[in-house]
Amino acid sequence: MSSKPEKTLLIWDVDDVLNTLMQQYAACGFPENSKKLSYGELTENPPHDLLGISKEDYLASLDRVRACGFYDLPPRPEVMAFFAECGHLFDHIVLSAVPLRFMEKSSAWVLHYFGEWIQNCLFIPSPRPDCCVKSQMFSSKAEAVGFFGPRAVLIDDAVKNVEETLSSGGRAVYFPAPWNRERNTDADVFLTSLRGFVK
């Protein structure tokens, strides 16, 4: 009996990678007491210091964007095009940090648009004061990437997640965003570069 060839496992972040959460936030999510910045001016994430508000106020306003029809929006078209052309060349899972109350909607959104390629969604709960997580398999994305071994590659926009994964010996790449070092890289160019991980 022949064994199935092992493919590279792409571990996808959801917010600001598969979707455009912060672009939607910049379009309609700023609280009244914050500075109003364009998406390109959000050079830190979380951007509460740039906005002149507390982190708690920022997270509450971000959650309002999530709650107000955000999961009715389609994914990035360039990411959909990548999956249509190259999705079969890899194995895929999702690894996202969202509040517990949005995990069901987030996973349903992923499966609706990407279910042909992604059938597994893992979450590291983003803490909120009104929610207590009683059991959690991984404490960080770096730990989760390590669990999947050397064939895994994390695709994430967050500096903390990418740097922690690299520091722990894992593989990770930045999805372009204004707050990371790939800010000047076109998303299409980045996605084309993923072909370099094909085994």
Side-chain angles (χ1 to χ4, degrees):
M1 180 174 163
S2 61
S3 61
K4 177 184 173 183
E6 188 175 73
K7 299 177 181 179
T8 297
L9 174 65
L10 298 182
I11 301 180
W12 295 86
D13 180 34
V14 176
D15 292 335
D16 301 303
V17 174
L18 299 182
N19 66 32
T20 56
L21 177 61
M22 289 302 288
Q23 289 181 36
Q24 297 302 315
Y25 181 80
C28 63
F30 294 122
E32 290 184 7
N33 60 331
S34 73
K35 296 178 183 177
K36 306 302 184 280
L37 303 176
S38 69
Y39 172 70
E41 293 175 306
L42 301 178
T43 55
E44 299 174 6
N45 194 6
H48 53 284
D49 288 337
L50 293 173
L51 301 176
I53 57 176
S54 70
K55 187 173 182 180
E56 291 73 23
D57 284 348
Y58 160 69
L59 291 175
S61 64
L62 186 66
D63 288 351
R64 283 194 293 274
V65 171
R66 286 189 171 110
C68 293
F70 176 71
Y71 292 108
D72 296 328
L73 297 176
R76 292 177 183 269
E78 60 268 43
V79 173
M80 286 297 292
F82 169 82
F83 272 90
E85 183 179 352
C86 302
H88 66 286
L89 300 174
F90 303 93
D91 290 331
H92 308 270
I93 64 168
V94 148
L95 177 63
S96 182
V98 298
L100 184 59
R101 70 187 180 107
F102 293 108
M103 289 180 188
E104 182 178 357
K105 284 189 174 183
S106 182
S107 60
W109 182 88
V110 169
L111 294 172
H112 175 72
Y113 286 106
F114 298 97
E116 293 178 56
W117 306 280
I118 302 173
Q119 295 86 42
N120 297 285
C121 300
L122 299 178
F123 294 97
I124 297 174
S126 181
R128 294 294 186 273
D130 59 345
C131 180
C132 177
V133 176
K134 298 178 180 178
S135 178
Q136 186 171 329
M137 186 172 179
F138 301 114
S139 62
S140 69
K141 288 194 175 183
E143 184 181 355
V145 174
F147 175 83
F148 288 103
R151 77 182 185 111
V153 180
L154 175 68
I155 302 169
D156 207 299
D157 64 288
V159 174
K160 178 177 183 288
N161 295 331
V162 172
E163 294 304 317
E164 284 184 355
T165 299
L166 294 173
S167 295
S168 65
R171 295 193 294 173
V173 290
Y174 284 106
F175 191 92
W179 48 86
N180 68 43
R181 69 185 189 196
E182 295 298 325
R183 63 182 61 86
N184 296 320
T185 302
D186 185 77
D188 285 322
V189 172
F190 167 78
L191 291 162
T192 298
S193 75
L194 294 179
R195 284 179 169 271
F197 291 113
V198 174
K199 287 192 171 184

